[in-house]
Amino acid sequence: MNSRIPVLIVGGGPVGLALAVELGWRGVACLLVEQTDGTITTPKMNEVNVRTMEFCRRWGIANAVQNCPFPADYPLDAVFVTTLAGYELGRVPRPARSTAQPDPFSPMRFQVCSQTWFDPILQNFARSLPTVELRYRHRLERFEQSLNGVTADIVDLTTGTHQRIEAAYLVGCDGANSAVRAALGIELAGTGTISHPAHMFFRTPNLLERFDRAPGTFFFPVGHGGVWGNLRVIDPVTGVWRLMVDEVGSAATPESIDKMSYVRRAVGRDIEVEWLGLSIWHRRSLVAERYSRGRIFLAGDAVHQLSPTGALGMNSGIGDAVDLGWKLAATLEGWGGAGLLDTYDTERRPIGVRNVKMATGFYLNIEGFGEVDGEIEHDNAAGERLRRELGERLVRNIGPEFRTIGLQIGYRYDGSPICIPDGTAAPPDTAETYTPSARPGARAPHVWLRDGRSILDLFGRGFVFLQFADDEQASGLAAAAAGQSIPLTIERLDEPEALRLYERRFVLVRPDGHVAWRSNSIIAEPTNLIDRVRGAAGIGEA
Ligand SMILES: Cc1cc2nc3c(=O)[nH]c(=O)nc-3n(C[C@H](O)[C@H](O)[C@H](O)COP(=O)(O)OP(=O)(O)OC[C@H]3O[C@@H](n4cnc5c(N)ncnc54)[C@H](O)[C@@H]3O)c2cc1C
């Protein structure tokens, strides 16, 4: 049996699903094959960051994510304790979504939504898109590419039937042990494995109430050896928890781990739990040396493997999917230039390097916290002083991984050949702070419009030309775009606040919501500009 499809996606984790959604939302036909049945038994990801929530808003599924079973009024604090039953040392406040102040930088808030809920939301939305086909229990066995396309052999794991698929492009979203990456001979570079953690999932309702502990999502038990893991609530309603032990040793097996002793160590006494699962994994710090070869692309954990500290794994991968999605659509629709798909690597690989570095740094803050001297459990004035000082140090050193708005929305495609620099200096790229910027390469910043929409709601389908001035600037550009069949919308805005933020009277925003170009003056050569931003090779400065 043979069939031809524009894009074959290998892997139905959150990144493969996000790519299917992005392509389907753009009307591009794609087939996703996933070797499992799609059920998540031991969820890894829990924190959907602000940028991913902005993409969910664009796709129309933000409400579904916000309405997941994680209660909107549950405080998201990270808490340092001696044990759950012992002393509280310090607390990083993260208010519940329903009580948090509106964020000035985004229409969306970061959202706790376990993969158990998030992946099915993506699956259901993908299934609702007429050009997307999801095939579970199907595995990619091998593939080869030519100048014109990719041939892939897929096996149906239920029936054992083999099928040959002809595709224009293949995207490997097949996770950390990506066979697609290995077959392409693409190496990973970086520190490699930095620890051997174990996850233990269990159910025990009302755990915090038993110890009169104020709610939070993360509880870090701190002993004399320092910080050794964390207890994270997955579902406060049904009492599902995950205990992560940061280092169980490279030889550990699920059978060799004494789960109950770790629970006792974290909680401070024996409790009854219903065990739901255990997995041992490698905490890595690695980025692929390239993100594509020919007609084959890689995204997500296949190209960046990072510590979960900072919640950047899936969120980085979804950023990959969005960047690649519009470029594949543009190329398949014929308006993407010959160099457009190459910019996927140029733009996303530096973000992978940045995020892996940050995530590793957050983990090293934990690992390097060091031993804790003194009698932190003593119920006297000296013990109290030690606990206060220790708590302050913990919040100062480890707290930053929970304040990452700059990391989440401040990434930029500096130096991209399809963004035209305007000579302004780059704002600082720091994890904790975000400096709104409409400099080319940056995510177009959020501002509320007078009609109640976010300016981000204007972006997504095609290019958007923002015109904060009433003149004929747009007509030449519209004609140049039409000449190349480029989807372009002109938005004339009488919005002083937006003009102040965007700093130029004319701004061109790409389909992924990043600024491509901005200026106060008339576009002398609109065709040059259009060719540049669509990745038509060899075009000079616009
Ligand atoms: C403890 C922990 C907590 C985390 N918390 C967060 C968080 O809060 N936020 C966050 O953003 N990230 C988090 N992450 C990271 C996040 O889980 C991963 O980055 C994310 O799951 C990667 O998604 P992916 O789709 O690239 O890969 P995966 O989720 O690994 O999916 C790859 C899929 O490909 C399939 N596959 C592989 N080979 C084939 C084949 N040949 N044919 C068909 N299918 C194939 C696999 O079955 C799998 O389903 C966390 C990770 C851990 C370990």
Side-chain angles (χ1 to χ4, degrees):
M1 232 195 328
N2 280 317
S3 63
R4 176 151 181 118
I5 192 87
V7 184
L8 173 63
I9 301 169
V10 181
V15 175
L17 286 167
L19 180 62
V21 160
E22 176 72 13
L23 289 170
W25 187 74
R26 295 186 182 283
V28 175
C30 59
L31 167 64
L32 180 151
V33 290
E34 163 58 46
Q35 62 191 0
T36 71
D37 68 1
T39 309
I40 308 289
T41 45
T42 52
K44 295 185 284 185
M45 185 288 296
N46 284 282
E47 307 213 341
V48 183
N49 81 11
V50 172
R51 189 59 177 144
T52 301
M53 286 305 294
E54 290 176 354
F55 297 138
C56 290
R57 177 182 175 101
R58 183 197 296 173
W59 295 326
I61 57 171
N63 282 344
V65 181
Q66 286 170 331
N67 293 334
C68 78
F70 195 92
D73 60 354
Y74 188 88
L76 309 179
D77 299 0
V79 189
F80 300 98
V81 292
T82 52
T83 63
L84 214 51
Y87 292 100
E88 181 162 323
L89 300 165
R91 194 171 265 264
V92 182
R94 295 198 301 173
R97 181 164 55 81
S98 64
T99 57
Q101 295 295 316
D103 190 330
F105 302 131
S106 175
M108 302 310 296
R109 296 200 63 81
F110 125 102
Q111 173 73 36
V112 175
C113 176
S114 159
Q115 211 172 344
T116 326
W117 305 314
F118 189 67
D119 282 20
I121 292 170
L122 290 177
Q123 287 166 5
N124 290 339
F125 182 51
R127 283 200 185 94
S128 76
L129 296 164
T131 59
V132 176
E133 186 186 350
L134 306 183
R135 278 192 214 165
Y136 284 90
R137 294 201 40 77
H138 282 70
R139 180 193 294 141
L140 172 81
E141 298 245 284
R142 64 189 67 79
F143 62 90
E144 56 189 41
Q145 63 171 321
S146 67
L147 283 178
N148 301 319
V150 181
T151 305
D153 290 331
I154 307 294
V155 61
D156 177 337
L157 297 171
T158 308
T159 62
T161 320
H162 287 255
Q163 185 182 11
R164 178 150 288 192
I165 307 272
E166 305 286 340
Y169 298 97
L170 183 149
V171 188
C173 303
D174 49 346
N177 299 319
S178 170
V180 175
R181 185 192 66 235
L184 294 176
I186 295 177
E187 301 288 337
L188 296 165
T191 319
T193 298
I194 51 177
S195 79
H196 308 87
H199 276 161
M200 302 163 207
F201 292 87
F202 55 85
R203 191 191 319 272
T204 185
N206 306 320
L207 178 60
L208 297 177
E209 290 83 339
R210 273 180 256 168
F211 305 112
D212 259 346
R213 177 79 51 219
T217 45
F218 272 105
F219 292 86
F220 290 87
V222 185
H224 287 288
V227 186
W228 57 271
N230 65 71
L231 259 173
R232 160 160 210 140
V233 69
I234 308 287
D235 183 351
V237 178
T238 58
V240 176
W241 289 81
R242 181 193 72 204
L243 173 61
M244 189 198 302
V245 178
D246 287 336
E247 182 59 77
V248 292
S250 58
T253 63
E255 295 71 36
S256 73
I257 289 181
D258 181 356
K259 304 191 288 279
M260 223 42 234
S261 78
Y262 282 118
V263 171
R264 192 179 311 117
R265 188 173 163 199
V267 173
R269 64 183 65 162
D270 284 322
I271 56 166
E272 287 203 1
V273 303
E274 175 197 347
W275 286 106
L276 302 175
L278 180 148
S279 69
I280 299 173
W281 48 285
H282 289 84
R283 190 189 303 271
R284 295 190 176 118
S285 181
L286 289 168
V287 183
E289 63 184 9
R290 51 193 295 170
Y291 276 25
S292 64
R293 202 182 284 287
R295 293 178 161 269
I296 301 178
F297 298 83
L298 298 163
D301 278 16
V303 277
H304 38 72
Q305 292 163 30
L306 43 81
S307 169
T309 37
L312 288 164
M314 176 201 77
N315 290 304
S316 305
I318 290 187
D320 298 340
V322 169
D323 187 84
L324 182 58
W326 77 268
K327 292 171 182 175
L328 283 170
T331 307
L332 287 160
E333 286 162 12
W335 56 268
L340 187 62
L341 283 171
D342 288 344
T343 67
Y344 169 60
D345 181 292
T346 326
E347 294 187 343
R348 289 304 300 177
R349 203 177 160 281
I351 306 304
V353 171
R354 164 195 189 261
N355 292 358
V356 167
K357 187 174 164 210
M358 290 284 188
T360 304
F362 290 143
Y363 177 66
L364 295 180
N365 289 343
I366 293 176
E367 194 195 63
F369 190 79
E371 302 205 346
V372 174
D373 292 331
E375 303 304 334
I376 55 170
E377 304 261 12
H378 275 202
D379 188 14
N380 56 23
E384 202 174 306
R385 197 192 67 248
L386 272 176
R387 287 191 290 277
R388 195 179 53 251
E389 287 168 4
L390 176 61
E392 284 166 8
R393 203 151 60 83
L394 285 160
V395 168
R396 194 169 53 246
N397 289 12
I398 298 173
E401 76 170 83
F402 298 102
R403 295 188 294 265
T404 57
I405 188 65
L407 250 187
Q408 297 175 50
I409 59 174
Y411 61 89
R412 306 184 302 258
Y413 301 141
D414 291 344
S416 167
I418 58 169
C419 295
I420 296 132
D422 65 358
T424 55
D429 183 15
T430 50
E432 266 193 67
T433 55
Y434 165 68
T435 309
S437 167
R439 189 170 171 269
R443 157 190 165 277
H446 154 75
V447 60
W448 292 112
L449 301 177
R450 282 199 274 242
D451 63 7
R453 287 179 301 170
S454 163
I455 199 167
L456 303 196
D457 296 336
L458 304 179
F459 311 141
R461 292 283 178 192
F463 280 88
V464 175
F465 187 69
L466 299 175
Q467 185 167 326
F468 297 105
D470 194 17
D471 61 25
E472 289 306 303
Q473 173 73 197
S475 55
L477 190 75
Q484 299 290 348
S485 305
I486 293 185
L488 175 93
T489 315
I490 314 286
E491 294 282 354
R492 288 191 172 80
L493 297 178
D494 179 14
E495 299 274 353
E497 185 58 20
L499 173 58
R500 190 192 59 73
L501 191 61
Y502 280 67
E503 298 179 313
R504 300 289 186 277
R505 294 191 302 152
F506 310 110
V507 184
L508 184 62
V509 180
R510 316 185 324 177
D512 59 350
H514 281 252
V515 176
W517 169 91
R518 66 176 181 170
S519 177
N520 272 331
S521 44
I522 297 293
I523 304 166
E525 298 287 350
T527 307
N528 279 2
L529 173 62
I530 286 295
D531 281 346
R532 178 85 179 263
V533 300
R534 73 185 179 90
I539 305 297
E541 287 290 311

